Amino acid sequence: MGKARRPKALPKPVCSDHLLVRINPQDAGLFRFFLEARDGLGWFCPLNRNSALMLLTFSPHQRKAMLNALEEISEEIALEILPWPAMRTGEKYDVGIESF
């Protein structure tokens, strides 16, 4: 048998990636439980308690995994995924959401 291949090292990300997630306020604890079950995939910070608007932060290398996790979580609780207002494109930041 040959040597096991080492996974290709990705370059360090310049900045974190973000998404906004809106859930029902009564589901906040369950959302935390589901996200923490993903072994450090990302973390969230509540931006508005009344509407349960959460800012998700994660590595840009794991964006696909985060979207897959949110899809799985959405099977258990109702959630709405929104882009982060400042979407990075090259060296400029474009505003993705006018108001929310």
Side-chain angles (χ1 to χ4, degrees), residues 15-66:
C15 61
S16 296
D17 206 348
H18 305 282
L19 287 172
L20 293 174
V21 176
R22 182 175 286 130
I23 61 173
N24 293 322
Q26 65 269 20
D27 290 333
L30 196 53
F31 181 75
R32 175 184 295 274
F33 174 78
F34 286 137
L35 188 61
E36 287 178 354
R38 299 311 193 275
D39 294 326
L41 181 59
W43 64 92
F44 72 93
C45 175
L47 298 178
N48 184 325
R49 279 187 177 167
N50 297 331
S51 67
L53 184 65
M54 310 291 185
L55 171 63
L56 280 177
T57 304
F58 53 94
S59 169
H61 299 311
Q62 295 182 310
R63 184 175 184 83
K64 186 175 179 180
M66 178 59 80

Side-chain angles (χ1 to χ4, degrees), residues 1-3 6 8 11-12 15 19 24 28 35 48-50 52-53 61 76-78 81 84-86 88 91 95 97:
M1 288 191 162
K3 290 184 178 179
R6 297 172 81 187
K8 185 177 179 181
K12 291 183 180 179
C15 61
L19 287 172
N24 293 322
L35 188 61
N48 184 325
R49 279 187 177 167
N50 297 331
L53 184 65
H61 299 311
E76 302 296 328
I77 61 173
I81 302 170
W84 177 240
R88 188 178 175 122
E91 293 303 313
V95 175
I97 298 175

